[in-house]
Structures are given as structure tokens and as C-alpha cells.
Amino acid sequence: MAVETPLKGNIGDSIKRKEDDRFIRGKGNYLDDVNLPGMLHMAINRSPFAHARIKSINTAAAQAVPGVVAVVTGELLAQHKLAWMPTLSGDTQAVLATDKVRFQGQEVACVIANDPYVARDAAALIEVDYDVLQAVVNPQQALKPGAPLIRDEKEGQKDNHIYHWEAGDKAKTDEAFSKADRVVKLDTFYPRCHPSPLETCGIVADVNPATGHATLWMTSQAPHAHRTLFAIVAGLPEQNIRIISPDIGGGFGNKVPIYPGYVVATAASLLIGKPVKWVEDRSENLISTGFARDYYMSGELALRNDGRMLGLRVKMLSDNGAFYADAQPTKFRAGLFHIVTGSYDLPAAHVETDGAYTNKAPGGVAYRCSFRVTEASYLIERLVESAALEMKMDPTEIRLKNFIQPEQFPYMSATGFEYDSGNYPKAMQVALDKLGYKELRKEQAEKRKKGELMGIGVASFTEVVGAGPGKHYDIAGLRMFDSAELRVHPTGKAILKLGVKSQGQGHETTFAQIVTEELGIPAADIEVQEGDTDNTPYGLGTYASRSTPVGGAATAMVSRKLRDKAKIIAAHLLEASAADIEFDHGKFFVRGSPSKSKTIQDVAFAAYTNLPDGLEAGLEGVTYYDPPNMTYPFGTYLVVVDIDRGTGQVKVRRMVAVDDCGVRINPMVVEGQIHGGLTEGFGIAFMELITFDEEGNCIGSNFTDYLLPTSWETPKFEMGETVTPSPHHPIGAKGVGESATVGSPAAYVNAVIDAVGHLGIRNIDMPVTSDKVWAALNEKGAAE
Ligand code: CDP
């Protein structure tokens, strides 16, 4: 029997995730595992109303509860100039309401007690006298003349409009439309949904009254950026703030914004002089923290009769809730929504976006998405499906006819993105072959004759991930670069410290693999550290699939920096010139004589024991990487559904996902990422909905109303891949974490529309639940 050589962990090796050892043994260290001596607990009293003026707050009953240490109100915070805080989008947000409440679930007062249950019970005893105002629950209503003014505290704010932002060329697009044979239009709504990570948000704030040092354990996807913002908001010297993000049980964008609970717990710890813990419960997470989407989109495609696309016109209205609080790069008010031209060679495009305040929790976090790429991808892929239907073309044919061709890369899109690389026809072909597309179309035709409803959905998405470059992309003024620090110890073992922060993506494994590839140190010998601002170099954090494109590039570059120094040391050991030293898989040798070599471990030891004269000791370095461009992962997803005419139930029979994220560092981890995203996309497409009644009551505040897919509902996924390296990334990798959430919802919905399109049904908004499908069939006289 052949003996298998254990994988060393090079790029392309599916080694098992190092971090899983502690996770599957229940030995992870999550925020709620942090318990400090003398620690107090915080609970929040929240508004039951969506829009109401606060007449008075009576805290006497809460204060009187044994065990209560303090009750914090907005008025108290205002005395310390902390009642309002800046948001990551340049707006302001109430920390604790002073004048009005602006969404149901808004933070009104906090109780600090010696026990979490006492804190909760006491918070319920706070009496708030409200004068209820009319609630505004959608952006159309918000922008009507005479609508109640939500942000009346903002100087100069006369209505509920937040921003207007445009991309592309209006004149050129109008001209394209004037020359079109036909125009296909689609109005669609991407409803509010929630990232709902397994672990909710929380903080343990420990401000030491003697030293003034603040140690904040936080569920933060961006600890360094949060530290800077804390320094600015709280006026604490930045060197005295240490943010530690421990193990995080999923983030998906939910842990990017700064929430009032973080600020109050820190202020309370500062004032009381004891550590304070705040952990949300599930409903608090679902009603008050970072919602996603809520985009009303209208798209028009100008086409020639042969199916060639000439132009794209898009209008979008976003519901941002009461505070514009989600992180968007400063220059781009609707995030990267202008990637809406997708995978298509569109000569002209124009995108107009507007945002409005409503009486809902702040929305717009990039839920497993790169700043609104998901909404954009959904719109273009649904619109292309509509065009195919109206023109009676096969949905693959219209795509193939309009794809940006491989030889067109680098490709400048009509809205200003320079796509780095791609081969869209190939990814589609791999997917079609895997599915057996032609056979299934035949089956569909047969079924249709018998009145049975079967559909095949297609989506060929292109994403844009890996912000910066810093000169174009910043969050709250902080340029979007990232960093890696690598220290190789005398025994050849290493520590890699990163500015990004995993929430379950497997960084401890995959980033070590980059070092393995570049320096030859086995992945098992590399400890990856993230999430501690005192001990890692400054970075912008993990969201928008930026870790591999930016932090991964920094890791490769710092490894190369060390390799250059290692060559000098190897030359000294081999008594040769550094210019003649070659490196291959962890071995240094004189060109032409590979048999006489020094290992990276020999060199590491010599870096501390036997150096050439004049060379600095040690083998370590740091790199701050500002990417020259983003990366553009892509893929084709195909979904087959069967629909029951009697109930409207949609059954996903097959789902084929072909992804291209450039070079795959760890194929198994990549597949895991895609599985997760496809599952979330399935949930969004068919199950998950947060909605609000006319009074602004949030419907979907628990997991019996807000339905997440379990293994019972989730379809089986069949995966495929193509590899088109990114030409500007040091190892050719593109991000992948979000591809499947971005690309899959349109594929699922397109499959449903493909099944019912012949009946004249053009759109069913997500979530595509059986009642909606049945109602649509019934309207066309096709329900049973
Ligand atoms: O920023 P985030 O970690 O969420 O997303 P990502 O950079 O797309 O990476 C997700 C996980 O997949 C990480 O562990 C990556 O290192 C891994 N990955 C990979 O192995 N190969 C790629 N081409 C892209 C990501």
C-alpha cells in the first residue's frame, strides 16, 4: 500500500482547519466566555414604539432593585457629550435616546447590576412616558411631501432624504436607449434581511481607573478601526485602548457597525471603575443591529433584436432606517452597487441612487457582501432573465452573447470598475455540463406539456471584493489597506500577525498556508494571530471578502521580504553570493547545485546565531499592503426547481455552483465558504423576511418568525470550479467568502420564474414563499 505523504500546507492543499480542534472540543473563547473579577452586567431598556417623543424617564423603581449599581440614561450621557455618536457613514446616531425614539427596539436606558438577570429585571422597571408619533415605514412614504420628519434634531435636515448618488454616463445611456430595438424593464425589491450570526453582539469593557487603560473585548470584525473610532468618540488616548476580538461566532457584516451597547458599557466601566459586560439576546440582535438590503430597484435594459445589450439604466431607493449607520466607502454612498453591469459588456450604463430615513433600525450592512454588490448582482441577473423571457431566448444564450470576453480583460466597465480577469463562458460551460442542461430543458418541455411546473434558473455573477485601493476607498476616512507581520523564531517556527479578523473563515489555517508556500515553513509550525490591537499591525478588518485579497497579499509580500533576507543569510552559510542563491520549497541553494542546500530552519537559526558581518539580527518584518485594484471573482450558478400547483411549494431539486476565485489557497475551506453562502442565499430567496407593520412594529424578531434554513430544507449542492488568477494579486487569489450569497439568490428566483414565466409571471419578490407562488399562479388561473 502506498504511504501518503502528509500535506505540508502549501497553496492548493486541503489541510484540515487548525482552529477546529478547539471549536469542536467546545474550547473556543467567545465573548461570553470572558469573565473578569468584579464584573458587572448591563441590560438595555428599548423603545416599544417606532416613533415617539420622550416626555419623561423615571428610573426610581429600577434604581431601587437590590444589586443595581447604576441606571444610565441619555441625559446622563449628554452630560459627558456621549448621547450621540458618529456613524461609519458620516451620520450621527443616538447612543441612548434623549429627545425621540426613532425605531422600535432603540436603546433608551441601561441598567448596570451585579447580575445579568437583575439587570434585565430592573431594565423592565424603567418607566418611560412616550408621546407616540406617526411612524414612517418605507422610503416611498418617507419621501412624500409632509411626511413626519424623522431626524428633526439634525441642523438643516428638512426632509427624510439622505443621499443622492450617481454613476456612469447619463447622456451616453440615453443615446443607447434611443437606438434600442426594445427595452426590458424590471421593478424589484430586495427585502430587509438579517445576517443573524450564531453568536450575537457584545462587549466586556474594562476601564482601569488607576491607569486609564481600557481593555475592550468585543465581537468586532474590525478591531483596529473600532479602536480609532472609540478614541475619537470617547476622547480616550488611542494608546490606552486595547480591543480584543476573541473567537467570533459568525459576523457576516453584523459586527462591523459600532452599536450603542458598546459605548454605554465602556462609559459605565469608566464611570464606575469596574468591568461591565453586555451581551445581546437573539431578539435584540434581530430588532436593533445591522439589517441588510431593503433596496427598491428598477432596471431597464436596452437591447437589439438579436439579444445584444446596448445599455443599462438603474434607479434605486434604499431604506436606511433611522440612522445612516452602515459602513460604506466615503465616496460611494450606495456602496459598490454600481457593479450592477455584472458580467456583461455593456457599452453604456447609468445608475441613480437615493437613500431615505425611516422609522426602522439602521440598515444597510453588507450581509456577506461587498458593500451592496449582492443587491446589484440580484438586479442584473433578474433583469437578464426577464429579457430572455420577453425575447424568447434561452437564458444561457443571452448571457453568452453579452458576456465580457476573456480577451477583453482588464475590462473597464461603464460605471468605472476595472475588472481584473475572468473567463465567463468557461465557467458557464462547466456548470452546464455538470448539470446536464440540455437534457433538463427537454424534460422541462415534456413536463410543461403535461401541465407540470419545472424551472431551471441561471445566474452568472461578477463580484468586486478586496477594498482598497486606499486612494479610492476609505471607511470614516481610514484608508482601506491591510497588514501582516511575520516573525520567524530561531527554531524555524513562526508567528504571523494580521490586521484582519476571522469570524469563522479559517484564517489560522489558510494564511499560514501562504507563508508555507512562500517560505517553506510547514503550516503546522505557524501560529496565526488576529484581533488584538495591542499585538497585531493596524488593519481595516474582515468584511466584504477582503481578507484574502488584501491581508493575504500582505502575508505573501511580508514572506517575500523575509525570503530576501533569508537569501543573504543562506549565501553566508553556503559561502556564495546572495545573487546566486535560489529558493525552492523551503530550501536555499546555489544556482545549479540543488544538492547542497540550507533549509529555512537552518537559515532561521543562523539569523540569531551566525550572521554575515553588518546584517541586522532576526528574521521578521511587517508589510502594509495597499492593493492596486480590487479582485473580481465570478461564477455561474444553476438551480432546478419543481413547483406544486396545488400549494405553490417550490422544491429545489438540484443546485450546481461553479465558482472562480482565482488561485484557491485551501480548496476545502473555499468549498465550505461556498456551501455556507449558498445556504444563506437559499434562506434569503425562500424563507427569511423581516418586515414591519404600519406602526413600525418589527415582525421577524425571533427565529420562529424569521426563518433560517436548517439542514432539513437546505438543498444538496454540486460544486465545480475554474481558476482564472488575479493578475495583480501576489498569489493570484481573489476573495470568495461572499460569492455564493451574492450570486445564488438570483439563481433560485430565476428558477422559479423560469418555471412560471410562460404563464406571464415575470417577478415574485423574495422571499419566494409558497403562498406568494400560489397567489401568482392563481391570478393566472394556473393554480390547482
Ligand atoms: O474576508 P473573508 O475572510 O471573509 O473572505 P475571503 O478572503 O474570501 O476568505 C474566506 C476564506 O477562504 C479564508 O480562509 C481564505 O483564506 C479562503 N480562501 C482561499 O482559500 N482561497 C481563495 N482564493 C480565497 C479565499
Side-chain angles (χ1 to χ4, degrees), residues 291-621:
F291 286 96
R293 326 295 192 234
D294 225 341
Y295 260 31
Y296 293 83
M297 303 178 286
S298 172
E300 286 179 287
L301 259 185
L303 294 136
R304 276 197 328 231
N305 275 336
D306 64 357
R308 181 76 181 92
M309 297 172 191
L310 302 176
L312 174 70
R313 200 184 268 149
V314 170
K315 287 204 169 136
M316 187 284 290
L317 178 59
S318 66
D319 180 338
N320 291 70
F323 307 107
Y324 182 30
D326 46 308
Q328 305 293 347
T330 306
K331 282 191 207 163
F332 305 98
R333 301 287 72 199
L336 305 180
F337 180 69
H338 49 308
I339 190 74
V340 66
T341 52
S343 307
Y344 308 102
D345 182 17
L346 273 153
H350 185 239
V351 182
E352 257 186 271
T353 64
D354 287 277
Y357 290 121
T358 59
N359 289 118
K360 296 182 188 171
V365 300
Y367 165 17
R368 207 165 184 169
C369 140
S370 181
F371 310 113
R372 306 294 197 163
V373 171
T374 311
E375 291 92 324
S377 177
Y378 182 75
L379 177 62
I380 186 68
E381 288 307 306
R382 289 283 303 107
L383 187 55
V384 171
E385 177 73 19
S386 295
L389 253 177
E390 285 192 24
M391 302 183 75
K392 298 199 171 20
M393 284 177 80
D394 185 284
T396 59
E397 188 196 341
I398 190 166
R399 285 178 168 85
L400 283 167
K401 191 165 247 173
N402 289 284
F403 276 154
I404 300 162
Q405 294 303 307
E407 61 278 9
Q408 285 178 278
F409 292 91
Y411 173 86
M412 183 54 82
S413 83
T415 53
F417 289 102
E418 190 184 304
Y419 289 33
D420 59 348
S421 64
N423 190 337
Y424 303 152
K426 187 172 163 194
M428 175 177 271
Q429 198 53 54
V430 173
L432 295 177
D433 292 346
K434 208 170 180 65
L435 188 76
Y437 185 73
K438 282 192 186 140
E439 284 307 307
L440 283 164
R441 280 284 174 216
K442 280 187 208 148
E443 183 191 329
Q444 183 188 36
E446 289 303 316
K447 288 214 155 130
R448 202 167 279 177
K449 279 187 220 153
K450 292 189 258 168
E452 291 174 31
L453 300 176
M454 168 190 163
I456 307 170
V458 183
S460 292
F461 67 95
T462 290
E463 265 196 289
V464 49
V465 303
K471 69 172 184 246
H472 296 309
Y473 301 96
D474 69 83
I475 297 281
L478 297 167
R479 282 171 73 108
M480 299 190 77
F481 59 85
D482 237 286
S483 59
E485 183 185 311
L486 182 59
R487 295 183 186 167
V488 182
H489 303 319
T491 53
K493 317 283 179 190
I495 293 188
L496 174 70
K497 293 165 182 264
L498 299 167
V500 293
K501 168 66 197 160
S502 177
Q503 307 116 45
Q505 294 93 326
H507 292 180
E508 288 170 44
T509 308
T510 54
F511 284 80
Q513 288 184 253
I514 300 175
V515 179
T516 305
E517 182 73 25
E518 298 291 337
L519 274 179
I521 301 171
D525 290 349
I526 303 160
E527 156 93 1
V528 176
Q529 295 183 353
E530 298 181 330
D532 178 348
T533 55
D534 266 11
N535 288 315
T536 53
Y538 202 101
L540 269 281
T542 290
Y543 40 87
S545 283
R546 60 187 301 280
S547 304
T548 304
V550 196
T555 302
M557 297 312 274
V558 77
S559 304
R560 288 176 194 181
K561 216 183 246 182
L562 265 56
R563 197 166 72 197
D564 288 343
K565 182 170 180 185
K567 276 187 179 173
I568 300 172
I569 300 169
H572 168 69
L573 297 178
L574 292 164
E575 294 172 352
S577 154
D580 295 332
I581 298 295
E582 294 212 337
F583 173 82
D584 186 35
H585 287 95
K587 287 198 171 137
F588 297 86
F589 51 90
V590 181
R591 189 171 302 116
S593 319
S595 56
K596 200 173 151 233
S597 63
K598 293 288 170 192
T599 63
I600 180 69
Q601 290 77 13
D602 298 331
V603 171
F605 197 66
Y608 297 87
T609 57
N610 177 12
L611 285 158
D613 286 345
L615 190 71
E616 214 179 313
L619 194 55
E620 61 181 64

Side-chain angles (χ1 to χ4, degrees), residues 378 382 455-459 637-641 650 652 654-655 675 677-686 714-717 740 743-754 766 768:
Y378 182 75
R382 289 283 303 107
I456 307 170
V458 183
Y637 293 163
L638 302 174
V639 173
V640 182
V641 297
V650 179
V652 175
R654 305 227 359 233
M655 164 31 133
H675 268 241
L678 294 175
T679 307
E680 287 180 315
F682 174 80
I684 292 165
F686 292 113
T714 305
K716 191 170 174 294
F717 305 124
S744 67
Y748 292 118
V749 179
N750 282 349
V752 175
I753 299 301
D754 188 72
M766 296 187 292
V768 182

